[in-house]
Amino acid sequence: MLKEISGGVCAARGFRAAGVHCGVKAGSSPDKNDLAMILSEKECTAAATYTLNRVKAAPLYVTMDHLENGVAWGVVANSGNANACCPMSHENAEAMCAAAAAATGREPEDFVVASTGVIGQTINIAAIQAGTPVLAAALNADGSDAAARAIMTTDTVKKEIAVSLTIGGKEVRLGAIAKGSGMIHPNMGTMLVFVTTDCAVTHEMLEDALREVVSKTFNRVTVDGDTSTNDMCVVLANGMAGNALIEWKDEDYETFKAALDHVCRTLSRAIAGDGEGASKLVTCKMTGARSEESAERLAKAVVGSSLVKAAMFGSDANWGRVLCAMGYSKAPFRPERVDVTFQSSAGEILVCRQGEQVEFDEDKAKEILSQKEVVIAVDLNEGEESAECWGCDLTYDYVKINGDYRT
């Protein structure tokens, strides 16, 4: 049985974490952590996924190189600067790893490196180098909260989760922290996700599980249609739970993958709900499809539509925008069979049957759409497949936040 527990990335045995302020961004508040580290007592099997944006930040390339052997010991990450598309970016990403290694007694290649913040400005590597020994000294078994806050940019809430389950008669734990609020679109977004686990699992099985899970969680989140240059999702597994090594896609593998899916799905919803300026989480549940692929494409189009998002902000039951977005998704479906229902904690209301409007209570619809979490339930009435994607509404504050993000 899967149980949520406390501890974040430190819930798994053998992991410590920390977050400190070092002044990556000039003028930033000393109360805002901007440098984070996660470190394992033992070498970890490691796997990662990265943005599909052709423009990738230097930390991604350095991490790809460091994880080529499938192992790592820890993560060093900063907020306040993306270290992307700027002079000395690759050298500075390597310098972050070198500083982390010197402060912990490890090697630079033992570290995953990540950055998030403004693109195109050279990172203040001197501040990071000065802050890393302080960061390493602060590593502790209760440091997940500080690390989670250190990777936040425009996030309004920290994103952290941990779970416990049994695999092969042994208690296994997974923990994670994430950041993500804007510049988020399917195929990863401006998100950093660090997952730790004490499960014993091979690199091949860990990589397969991560890719399967990411495709149905983080790749189904959209906030604003922009795919970032910096996003990554990394899993570190140190095997300290003592379970029999997962090296085949057997029952233990499926149990582990289900736990990883729960962690990533929870964080996906948290990222979508904390979209820049957002006032509500919007979920599109697409059912009755001929294939999962077409259901996903249709659901992504709905939650990604600026007009749908604006309607959700205004609590306007403008269901025609839902069908419109589906229509340009390039996924096959029959409009004349589509039913649309709006749902929330205030109830549910059918607004479209077989592709046409039905009479409904506008006041009730507005009440339903005024809640913090709203579901757009679409039944294609064509098959047995389904998919769920997550987004948020589009508010005035999104423009305010991004209008002067750099300055």
Side-chain angles (χ1 to χ4, degrees), residues 191-247:
M191 60 180 76
L192 298 179
V193 183
F194 305 123
V195 184
T196 60
T197 180
D198 49 24
C199 184
V201 54
T202 66
H203 169 69
E204 292 76 16
M205 293 299 97
L206 187 64
E207 191 167 53
D208 284 357
L210 180 63
R211 293 192 183 281
E212 288 182 52
V213 166
V214 165
S215 70
K216 296 185 179 183
T217 55
F218 296 123
N219 282 1
R220 290 183 176 179
V221 176
T222 182
V223 168
D224 49 20
D226 279 357
T227 300
S228 166
T229 58
N230 285 64
D231 56 279
M232 67 170 74
C233 176
V234 179
V235 183
L236 302 179
N238 66 15
M240 291 179 66
N243 61 291
L245 182 67
I246 298 175
E247 49 188 339

Side-chain angles (χ1 to χ4, degrees), residues 18-101:
V20 299
H21 172 82
C22 72
V24 173
K25 187 175 182 180
S28 59
S29 169
D31 295 328
K32 167 64 175 80
N33 290 350
D34 56 8
L35 191 61
M37 184 181 289
I38 303 166
L39 190 66
S40 173
E41 291 178 16
K42 294 187 175 181
E43 183 178 76
C44 300
T45 299
T49 60
Y50 310 94
T51 182
L52 293 187
N53 194 319
R54 287 183 64 86
V55 180
K56 292 180 174 62
L60 274 70
Y61 288 115
V62 172
T63 295
M64 289 176 190
D65 183 47
H66 288 187
L67 293 188
E68 193 170 348
N69 61 359
V71 298
W73 283 75
V75 175
V76 60
N78 73 274
S79 59
N81 188 297
N83 194 22
C85 307
C86 58
M88 298 292 291
S89 59
H90 193 93
E91 292 85 349
N92 286 335
E94 291 282 18
M96 283 181 64
C97 295

Side-chain angles (χ1 to χ4, degrees), residues 267-287:
L267 293 175
S268 294
R269 288 174 52 84
I271 289 168
D274 192 33
E276 288 177 342
S279 66
K280 62 188 71 171
L281 169 66
V282 180
T283 301
C284 182
K285 293 182 178 180
M286 193 70 55
T287 60

Side-chain angles (χ1 to χ4, degrees), residues 169-355:
K170 300 289 186 179
E171 184 197 18
V172 169
R173 301 172 188 170
L174 290 85
I177 59 174
K179 67 82 54 182
S181 188
M183 199 182 279
I184 291 176
H185 191 56
N187 297 326
M188 303 288 288
T190 237
M191 60 180 76
L192 298 179
V193 183
F194 305 123
V195 184
T196 60
T197 180
D198 49 24
C199 184
V201 54
T202 66
H203 169 69
E204 292 76 16
M205 293 299 97
L206 187 64
E207 191 167 53
D208 284 357
L210 180 63
R211 293 192 183 281
E212 288 182 52
V213 166
V214 165
S215 70
K216 296 185 179 183
T217 55
F218 296 123
N219 282 1
R220 290 183 176 179
V221 176
T222 182
V223 168
D224 49 20
D226 279 357
T227 300
S228 166
T229 58
N230 285 64
D231 56 279
M232 67 170 74
C233 176
V234 179
V235 183
L236 302 179
N238 66 15
M240 291 179 66
N243 61 291
L245 182 67
I246 298 175
E247 49 188 339
W248 308 102
K249 292 189 177 180
D250 53 15
E251 184 178 345
D252 286 351
Y253 171 85
E254 294 299 332
T255 301
F256 173 77
K257 189 178 75 171
L260 183 62
D261 181 87
H262 177 83
V263 166
C264 294
R265 189 172 298 271
T266 301
L267 293 175
S268 294
R269 288 174 52 84
I271 289 168
D274 192 33
E276 288 177 342
S279 66
K280 62 188 71 171
L281 169 66
V282 180
T283 301
C284 182
K285 293 182 178 180
M286 193 70 55
T287 60
R290 284 177 264 174
S291 70
E292 185 177 359
E293 180 184 4
S294 62
E296 178 182 323
R297 182 174 291 185
L298 288 162
K300 279 181 181 178
V302 172
V303 293
S305 163
S306 294
L307 288 177
V308 171
K309 291 157 69 68
M312 293 299 100
F313 172 57
S315 302
D316 179 13
N318 195 338
W319 61 268
R321 292 180 176 178
V322 175
L323 261 65
C324 177
M326 292 168 59
Y328 60 65
S329 70
K330 298 183 180 179
F333 74 101
R334 297 180 182 177
E336 69 275 10
R337 292 191 177 184
V338 173
D339 297 338
V340 180
T341 303
F342 292 136
Q343 304 170 340
S344 74
S345 59
E348 63 177 61
I349 192 164
L350 179 71
V351 293
C352 169
R353 180 186 292 117
Q354 296 181 351

